[in-house]
Coordinates of all heavy atoms in Angstrom, one line a residue:
M1 N 12.3 10.2 20.2 CA 11.9 9.6 19.0 C 13.0 9.6 17.9 O 13.6 10.6 17.7 CB 10.6 10.3 18.3 CG 9.5 10.2 19.2 SD 8.8 8.6 19.5 CE 7.8 8.5 18.0
T2 N 13.4 8.5 17.4 CA 14.5 8.5 16.4 C 14.0 7.9 15.1 O 14.2 6.7 14.8 CB 15.6 7.7 16.9 OG1 15.2 6.4 17.4 CG2 16.4 8.5 18.0
T3 N 13.2 8.6 14.3 CA 12.8 8.1 13.1 C 13.5 8.9 12.0 O 13.0 9.7 11.3 CB 11.3 8.4 12.9 OG1 10.9 9.7 13.4 CG2 10.5 7.4 13.6
A4 N 14.8 8.6 11.8 CA 15.6 9.3 10.9 C 15.7 8.5 9.5 O 16.5 8.9 8.7 CB 17.0 9.4 11.5
V5 N 14.9 7.5 9.4 CA 15.0 6.8 8.2 C 14.2 7.5 7.1 O 13.1 8.0 7.2 CB 14.3 5.4 8.3 CG1 14.4 4.6 7.0 CG2 14.9 4.7 9.5
A6 N 14.9 7.7 5.9 CA 14.3 8.5 4.8 C 13.1 7.7 4.3 O 13.2 6.4 4.2 CB 15.3 8.7 3.7
P7 N 12.0 8.3 4.0 CA 10.9 7.7 3.5 C 11.1 7.1 2.1 O 11.4 7.8 1.1 CB 9.7 8.7 3.4 CG 10.5 10.0 3.3 CD 11.8 9.8 4.1
S8 N 11.2 5.7 2.0 CA 11.4 5.1 0.7 C 10.0 4.7 0.1 O 9.0 4.6 0.7 CB 12.2 3.9 0.9 OG 11.6 3.0 1.8
T9 N 10.0 4.7 -1.2 CA 8.8 4.4 -2.0 C 8.9 2.9 -2.4 O 9.9 2.3 -2.5 CB 8.6 5.3 -3.1 OG1 9.7 5.3 -3.9 CG2 8.3 6.7 -2.6
L10 N 7.8 2.4 -2.8 CA 7.7 1.1 -3.3 C 8.0 1.0 -4.8 O 7.6 2.0 -5.5 CB 6.3 0.5 -3.0 CG 6.0 0.2 -1.6 CD1 4.6 0.0 -1.3 CD2 6.8 -0.9 -1.0
T11 N 8.6 0.0 -5.3 CA 9.0 -0.1 -6.7 C 8.3 -1.3 -7.3 O 7.7 -2.2 -6.5 CB 10.5 -0.2 -6.9 OG1 10.9 -1.4 -6.4 CG2 11.1 0.9 -6.1
A12 N 8.5 -1.5 -8.5 CA 7.9 -2.7 -9.2 C 8.5 -4.0 -8.7 O 8.1 -5.1 -9.0 CB 8.1 -2.6 -10.7
E13 N 9.7 -3.8 -8.0 CA 10.4 -5.1 -7.5 C 9.8 -5.4 -6.2 O 10.2 -6.6 -5.7 CB 11.9 -4.8 -7.4 CG 12.5 -4.7 -8.8 CD 14.0 -4.3 -8.7 OE1 14.6 -4.7 -7.7 OE2 14.5 -3.8 -9.7
D14 N 9.0 -4.7 -5.6 CA 8.4 -5.0 -4.3 C 7.2 -5.8 -4.6 O 6.3 -5.4 -5.4 CB 8.1 -3.8 -3.5 CG 9.3 -3.0 -3.0 OD1 10.1 -3.7 -2.4 OD2 9.4 -1.9 -3.3
R15 N 7.1 -7.0 -4.1 CA 6.0 -8.0 -4.4 C 5.2 -8.3 -3.2 O 5.7 -8.4 -2.1 CB 6.6 -9.2 -5.0 CG 7.3 -9.0 -6.3 CD 6.2 -8.8 -7.4 NE 6.8 -8.0 -8.5 CZ 6.1 -7.7 -9.6 NH1 4.8 -8.1 -9.7 NH2 6.6 -7.0 -10.6
C16 N 3.9 -8.5 -3.4 CA 3.0 -8.9 -2.3 C 3.4 -10.2 -1.8 O 3.7 -11.2 -2.5 CB 1.5 -9.0 -2.9 SG 0.3 -9.6 -1.7
D17 N 3.4 -10.3 -0.5 CA 3.8 -11.6 0.2 C 2.8 -12.6 0.1 O 3.0 -13.8 0.3 CB 4.0 -11.3 1.7 CG 5.2 -10.5 2.0 OD1 6.2 -10.6 1.2 OD2 5.2 -9.7 3.0
R18 N 1.6 -12.3 -0.3 CA 0.5 -13.2 -0.5 C 0.4 -13.8 -1.9 O 0.2 -15.0 -2.1 CB -0.8 -12.6 -0.1 CG -0.9 -12.3 1.4 CD -0.9 -13.6 2.2 NE -0.8 -13.2 3.6 CZ -1.6 -13.5 4.6 NH1 -2.7 -14.2 4.3 NH2 -1.4 -13.2 5.8
C19 N 0.4 -12.9 -2.9 CA 0.1 -13.4 -4.2 C 1.2 -13.1 -5.2 O 1.1 -13.6 -6.4 CB -1.2 -12.8 -4.6 SG -1.2 -11.1 -4.9
G20 N 2.2 -12.2 -4.9 CA 3.3 -12.0 -5.8 C 3.0 -10.8 -6.8 O 3.8 -10.5 -7.6
A21 N 1.9 -10.2 -6.6 CA 1.6 -9.0 -7.5 C 2.4 -7.8 -6.9 O 3.0 -7.9 -5.9 CB 0.1 -8.7 -7.4
Q22 N 2.4 -6.8 -7.7 CA 3.2 -5.6 -7.3 C 2.7 -5.0 -6.0 O 1.4 -4.9 -5.9 CB 3.2 -4.5 -8.4 CG 4.1 -3.4 -8.0 CD 4.3 -2.4 -9.2 OE1 4.0 -2.7 -10.3 NE2 4.8 -1.2 -8.8
A23 N 3.5 -4.7 -5.1 CA 3.1 -4.3 -3.8 C 2.9 -2.7 -3.8 O 3.6 -2.0 -4.4 CB 4.1 -4.7 -2.7
Y24 N 1.8 -2.4 -3.1 CA 1.5 -0.9 -2.9 C 1.3 -0.6 -1.5 O 1.0 0.6 -1.1 CB 0.2 -0.6 -3.7 CG 0.4 -0.5 -5.2 CD1 0.2 -1.7 -6.0 CD2 0.9 0.6 -5.8 CE1 0.4 -1.6 -7.4 CE2 1.1 0.7 -7.2 CZ 0.8 -0.5 -7.9 OH 1.1 -0.4 -9.3
L25 N 1.6 -1.6 -0.6 CA 1.4 -1.2 0.8 C 2.6 -1.9 1.6 O 2.8 -3.1 1.4 CB 0.1 -1.7 1.4 CG -0.1 -1.4 2.8 CD1 -0.5 0.0 3.1 CD2 -1.2 -2.3 3.4
R26 N 3.4 -1.2 2.3 CA 4.5 -1.7 3.1 C 4.1 -1.6 4.6 O 3.8 -0.4 5.0 CB 5.8 -1.1 2.8 CG 6.9 -1.9 3.4 CD 8.3 -1.3 3.2 NE 8.4 0.0 3.8 CZ 9.2 1.0 3.5 NH1 10.1 0.8 2.5 NH2 9.2 2.1 4.2
V27 N 4.3 -2.6 5.3 CA 4.0 -2.5 6.7 C 5.2 -3.0 7.5 O 5.7 -4.0 7.3 CB 2.8 -3.5 7.1 CG1 2.5 -3.5 8.5 CG2 1.6 -3.3 6.2
E28 N 5.6 -2.0 8.4 CA 6.7 -2.3 9.3 C 6.1 -2.8 10.7 O 5.3 -2.1 11.2 CB 7.6 -1.1 9.5 CG 8.4 -0.8 8.2 CD 9.2 0.4 8.4 OE1 9.6 0.7 9.5 OE2 9.5 1.1 7.4
L29 N 6.5 -3.9 11.1 CA 5.9 -4.5 12.3 C 6.7 -4.1 13.5 O 7.8 -3.7 13.5 CB 5.9 -6.1 12.2 CG 5.1 -6.6 10.9 CD1 5.4 -8.1 10.8 CD2 3.6 -6.3 11.0
Q30 N 6.0 -4.2 14.6 CA 6.6 -3.9 16.0 C 7.8 -4.9 16.2 O 8.7 -4.6 17.0 CB 5.6 -4.1 17.1 CG 4.5 -3.0 17.0 CD 3.2 -3.4 17.6 OE1 3.2 -4.4 18.3 NE2 2.2 -2.6 17.5
T31 N 7.7 -6.1 15.6 CA 8.8 -7.1 15.8 C 10.0 -6.7 15.0 O 11.0 -7.4 15.1 CB 8.3 -8.4 15.4 OG1 7.8 -8.4 14.1 CG2 7.2 -8.9 16.4
G32 N 9.9 -5.7 14.1 CA 11.0 -5.4 13.3 C 10.9 -6.0 11.9 O 11.7 -5.6 11.0
G33 N 9.9 -6.8 11.7 CA 9.7 -7.4 10.4 C 9.0 -6.5 9.4 O 8.6 -5.4 9.8
E34 N 8.9 -6.9 8.2 CA 8.2 -6.1 7.2 C 7.4 -6.9 6.3 O 7.8 -8.1 5.9 CB 9.4 -5.4 6.4 CG 8.9 -4.4 5.4 CD 10.1 -3.8 4.7 OE1 10.8 -2.8 5.3 OE2 10.4 -4.2 3.6
L35 N 6.2 -6.4 6.0 CA 5.3 -7.2 5.1 C 5.0 -6.3 3.9 O 4.9 -5.1 4.0 CB 4.0 -7.5 5.8 CG 4.2 -8.6 6.9 CD1 2.9 -8.7 7.7 CD2 4.6 -9.9 6.4
L36 N 4.8 -6.9 2.7 CA 4.4 -6.2 1.6 C 3.1 -6.7 1.0 O 2.9 -7.9 1.0 CB 5.5 -6.3 0.4 CG 6.8 -5.7 0.8 CD1 7.8 -6.2 -0.3 CD2 6.7 -4.2 0.9
F37 N 2.2 -5.9 0.6 CA 0.9 -6.3 0.1 C 0.5 -5.5 -1.2 O 0.8 -4.4 -1.3 CB -0.2 -6.1 1.1 CG -0.1 -7.0 2.3 CD1 0.6 -6.6 3.5 CD2 -0.6 -8.2 2.3 CE1 0.7 -7.4 4.6 CE2 -0.4 -9.1 3.4 CZ 0.2 -8.7 4.5
C38 N -0.1 -6.2 -2.0 CA -0.7 -5.5 -3.2 C -1.9 -4.8 -2.8 O -2.4 -4.9 -1.7 CB -1.1 -6.6 -4.3 SG -2.4 -7.7 -3.8
A39 N -2.5 -4.0 -3.7 CA -3.7 -3.3 -3.4 C -4.8 -4.1 -2.9 O -5.6 -3.8 -2.0 CB -4.1 -2.4 -4.6
H40 N -5.0 -5.2 -3.5 CA -6.1 -6.2 -3.2 C -5.9 -6.7 -1.8 O -6.9 -6.6 -0.9 CB -6.1 -7.3 -4.2 CG -7.0 -8.4 -3.7 ND1 -8.4 -8.3 -4.0 CD2 -6.8 -9.6 -3.1 CE1 -8.9 -9.5 -3.5 NE2 -8.0 -10.2 -3.0
H41 N -4.7 -7.1 -1.4 CA -4.6 -7.7 0.0 C -4.4 -6.6 1.0 O -4.7 -6.7 2.1 CB -3.4 -8.6 -0.1 CG -3.7 -10.0 -0.7 ND1 -3.0 -10.4 -1.8 CD2 -4.5 -10.9 -0.3 CE1 -3.6 -11.6 -2.2 NE2 -4.5 -11.9 -1.2
A42 N -4.0 -5.4 0.5 CA -4.0 -4.2 1.4 C -5.3 -3.9 1.9 O -5.6 -3.6 3.0 CB -3.3 -3.0 0.7
R43 N -6.3 -4.0 1.0 CA -7.7 -3.7 1.4 C -8.3 -4.9 2.3 O -8.9 -4.6 3.2 CB -8.6 -3.7 0.1 CG -9.0 -2.2 -0.2 CD -10.1 -2.2 -1.2 NE -9.8 -3.0 -2.4 CZ -9.2 -2.5 -3.5 NH1 -8.8 -1.2 -3.4 NH2 -8.9 -3.2 -4.5
E44 N -7.9 -6.1 1.9 CA -8.4 -7.2 2.7 C -7.9 -7.3 4.1 O -8.6 -7.6 5.0 CB -7.9 -8.5 1.9 CG -8.8 -9.7 2.3 CD -8.5 -10.9 1.4 OE1 -8.8 -10.7 0.2 OE2 -7.9 -11.8 1.8
H45 N -6.6 -6.9 4.3 CA -6.0 -7.0 5.6 C -5.7 -5.7 6.2 O -5.2 -5.6 7.3 CB -4.7 -7.8 5.5 CG -4.8 -9.2 4.9 ND1 -5.5 -10.2 5.5 CD2 -4.4 -9.6 3.7 CE1 -5.4 -11.3 4.7 NE2 -4.8 -10.9 3.6
G46 N -6.1 -4.6 5.6 CA -5.8 -3.3 6.0 C -6.0 -3.0 7.5 O -5.2 -2.5 8.2
D47 N -7.2 -3.3 8.0 CA -7.6 -2.9 9.3 C -6.7 -3.7 10.3 O -6.3 -3.1 11.3 CB -9.1 -3.2 9.5 CG -9.9 -2.2 8.8 OD1 -9.5 -1.1 8.4 OD2 -11.2 -2.5 8.6
A48 N -6.5 -4.9 10.1 CA -5.7 -5.8 11.0 C -4.3 -5.3 11.0 O -3.6 -5.2 12.0 CB -5.8 -7.2 10.6
L49 N -3.8 -4.9 9.8 CA -2.4 -4.5 9.6 C -2.1 -3.1 10.4 O -1.1 -3.0 11.0 CB -2.1 -4.3 8.2 CG -2.0 -5.5 7.4 CD1 -1.9 -5.2 5.9 CD2 -0.9 -6.4 7.8
K50 N -3.1 -2.3 10.4 CA -2.9 -0.9 11.1 C -2.8 -1.2 12.5 O -2.2 -0.3 13.2 CB -4.2 -0.1 10.8 CG -4.1 0.5 9.4 CD -5.3 1.3 9.1 CE -5.3 1.7 7.6 NZ -6.7 2.0 7.0
E51 N -3.3 -2.2 13.1 CA -3.2 -2.5 14.5 C -1.8 -3.0 15.0 O -1.4 -2.8 16.1 CB -4.3 -3.5 15.0 CG -5.7 -2.8 14.9 CD -6.8 -3.8 15.3 OE1 -6.5 -4.9 16.0 OE2 -7.9 -3.5 15.0
I52 N -1.2 -3.7 14.0 CA 0.1 -4.3 14.4 C 1.3 -3.5 13.8 O 2.5 -3.8 14.0 CB 0.2 -5.8 13.9 CG1 0.0 -5.9 12.4 CG2 -0.9 -6.6 14.7 CD1 0.3 -7.3 11.9
A53 N 1.0 -2.5 12.9 CA 2.1 -1.8 12.2 C 2.6 -0.7 13.1 O 1.9 0.0 13.8 CB 1.6 -1.3 11.0
V54 N 4.0 -0.5 13.0 CA 4.5 0.7 13.6 C 4.7 1.7 12.5 O 4.8 3.0 12.8 CB 5.9 0.4 14.2 CG1 5.7 -0.4 15.6 CG2 6.8 -0.4 13.3
N55 N 4.7 1.3 11.3 CA 4.9 2.2 10.2 C 4.2 1.7 9.0 O 4.2 0.4 8.7 CB 6.4 2.3 9.9 CG 6.8 3.8 9.8 OD1 6.1 4.6 9.2 ND2 8.0 4.1 10.3
L56 N 3.4 2.5 8.3 CA 2.6 2.0 7.2 C 2.8 2.9 6.0 O 2.6 4.1 6.1 CB 1.2 1.9 7.6 CG 0.3 1.0 7.0 CD1 -0.4 0.1 7.9 CD2 -0.7 1.6 6.1
L57 N 3.3 2.3 4.9 CA 3.5 3.1 3.7 C 2.4 2.7 2.7 O 2.4 1.5 2.2 CB 4.9 2.9 3.1 CG 5.1 3.6 1.8 CD1 5.1 5.1 1.9 CD2 6.5 3.2 1.2
D58 N 1.5 3.6 2.4 CA 0.3 3.2 1.6 C 0.4 4.0 0.2 O 0.3 5.1 0.2 CB -1.0 3.6 2.3 CG -2.2 3.1 1.5 OD1 -2.1 2.7 0.4 OD2 -3.3 3.1 2.1
E59 N 0.6 3.3 -0.8 CA 0.7 3.8 -2.1 C -0.3 3.3 -3.0 O -0.2 3.3 -4.3 CB 2.1 3.5 -2.7 CG 3.2 4.3 -1.9 CD 4.6 4.2 -2.7 OE1 4.7 3.5 -3.7 OE2 5.5 4.9 -2.1
T60 N -1.4 2.8 -2.4 CA -2.5 2.3 -3.3 C -3.2 3.4 -4.1 O -3.8 3.1 -5.1 CB -3.6 1.7 -2.4 OG1 -4.0 2.6 -1.3 CG2 -3.0 0.4 -1.8
H61 N -3.0 4.6 -3.7 CA -3.6 5.8 -4.5 C -3.0 5.8 -5.9 O -3.6 6.4 -6.8 CB -3.4 7.0 -3.8 CG -1.9 7.4 -3.5 ND1 -1.2 7.0 -2.5 CD2 -1.0 8.0 -4.3 CE1 0.0 7.4 -2.5 NE2 0.2 8.0 -3.7
K62 N -1.8 5.2 -6.1 CA -1.2 5.2 -7.4 C -2.0 4.5 -8.4 O -1.8 4.7 -9.6 CB 0.2 4.6 -7.3 CG 1.3 5.5 -6.7 CD 2.6 4.8 -6.8 CE 3.7 5.7 -6.3 NZ 5.0 4.9 -6.3
L63 N -2.8 3.6 -7.9 CA -3.7 2.8 -8.8 C -4.9 3.6 -9.2 O -5.6 3.1 -10.0 CB -4.0 1.5 -8.2 CG -2.9 0.5 -7.9 CD1 -3.4 -0.7 -7.2 CD2 -2.4 0.0 -9.3
Q64 N -5.2 4.6 -8.6 CA -6.5 5.3 -8.7 C -6.4 6.6 -9.5 O -7.2 7.5 -9.3 CB -7.1 5.5 -7.3 CG -7.4 4.3 -6.6 CD -7.6 4.5 -5.1 OE1 -7.6 5.7 -4.7 NE2 -7.9 3.4 -4.3
D65 N -5.5 6.7 -10.4 CA -5.3 7.9 -11.1 C -6.2 7.9 -12.4 O -6.0 8.9 -13.2 CB -3.9 8.2 -11.4 CG -3.1 7.0 -12.1 OD1 -3.8 6.1 -12.4 OD2 -1.9 7.1 -12.2
T66 N -7.0 7.0 -12.6 CA -7.9 7.0 -13.8 C -9.2 7.6 -13.3 O -9.7 7.3 -12.2 CB -8.2 5.7 -14.3 OG1 -8.4 4.8 -13.2 CG2 -7.0 5.1 -15.1
P67 N -9.8 8.5 -14.0 CA -11.0 9.2 -13.6 C -12.2 8.2 -13.5 O -12.4 7.4 -14.3 CB -11.3 10.2 -14.8 CG -10.5 9.7 -15.9 CD -9.3 9.1 -15.3
A68 N -12.9 8.4 -12.4 CA -14.0 7.5 -12.1 C -15.2 7.8 -12.9 O -16.1 7.0 -13.2 CB -14.3 7.4 -10.6
T69 N -15.3 9.0 -13.3 CA -16.6 9.4 -14.1 C -16.0 10.0 -15.5 O -15.1 10.5 -15.6 CB -17.3 10.5 -13.3 OG1 -16.3 11.6 -13.0 CG2 -17.9 10.0 -12.0
A70 N -17.0 9.8 -16.3 CA -16.8 10.4 -17.7 C -16.9 11.9 -17.6 O -17.7 12.4 -16.9 CB -17.8 9.8 -18.7
P71 N -16.1 12.5 -18.5 CA -16.3 14.0 -18.5 C -17.7 14.5 -18.9 O -18.3 13.9 -19.8 CB -15.2 14.4 -19.5 CG -14.9 13.2 -20.3 CD -15.2 12.1 -19.5
Q72 N -18.1 15.5 -18.2 CA -19.4 16.0 -18.5 C -19.4 16.9 -19.7 O -18.5 17.7 -20.0 CB -19.9 16.8 -17.3 CG -20.2 15.9 -16.1 CD -20.7 16.7 -14.9 OE1 -20.7 17.9 -14.9 NE2 -21.2 16.0 -13.9
T73 N -20.5 16.8 -20.4 CA -20.6 17.7 -21.6 C -21.7 18.8 -21.4 O -22.8 18.6 -20.8 CB -21.1 16.9 -22.9 OG1 -22.3 16.1 -22.5 CG2 -20.1 16.0 -23.3
D74 N -21.3 20.0 -21.7 CA -22.2 21.1 -21.5 C -23.1 21.2 -22.8 O -22.6 21.3 -23.9 CB -21.4 22.4 -21.4 CG -21.4 22.8 -20.0 OD1 -22.3 22.5 -19.1 OD2 -20.4 23.4 -19.6
D75 N -24.4 21.2 -22.5 CA -25.3 21.3 -23.7 C -26.2 22.5 -23.7 O -26.8 22.8 -22.7 CB -26.2 20.0 -23.7 CG -26.6 19.7 -25.1 OD1 -26.3 20.5 -26.0 OD2 -27.4 18.8 -25.3
Ligands
ZN101 ZN1 -1.6 -9.7 -3.0

């Protein structure tokens, strides 16, 4: 195994191949190609992508740092 490539992260300059929004998922294909997807299209194509990807960088969690629930109040 020769996976000596340093893990790179996605930046604001990485754009979804489908819609041009900021990419949060990078897929390296067995063919050597590379695809970028926004969070929306990552969800839409995620399962299919996992089957053809040799490497998958998922940064969609970056979008989920807002609390889903309101803080509870003790009464
Ligand atoms: Zn998209």
Side-chain angles (χ1 to χ4, degrees):
M1 299 297 274
T2 52
T3 43
V5 183
S8 58
T9 54
L10 294 164
T11 70
E13 288 177 26
D14 292 308
R15 294 287 154 178
C16 175
D17 288 331
R18 293 291 169 123
C19 70
Q22 185 172 344
Y24 286 93
L25 184 78
R26 191 183 66 200
V27 182
E28 288 175 33
L29 302 172
Q30 293 158 5
T31 55
E34 189 178 276
L35 293 173
L36 295 171
F37 291 97
C38 66
H40 171 81
H41 284 114
R43 256 195 303 273
E44 197 169 297
H45 303 292
D47 288 342
L49 291 172
K50 281 170 190 163
E51 289 179 17
I52 59 171
V54 287
N55 231 317
L56 206 126
L57 177 65
D58 186 347
E59 296 191 348
T60 53
H61 60 272
K62 283 185 175 178
L63 290 173
Q64 297 166 0
D65 50 9
T66 46
T69 55
Q72 294 180 346
T73 52
D74 262 331
D75 203 2

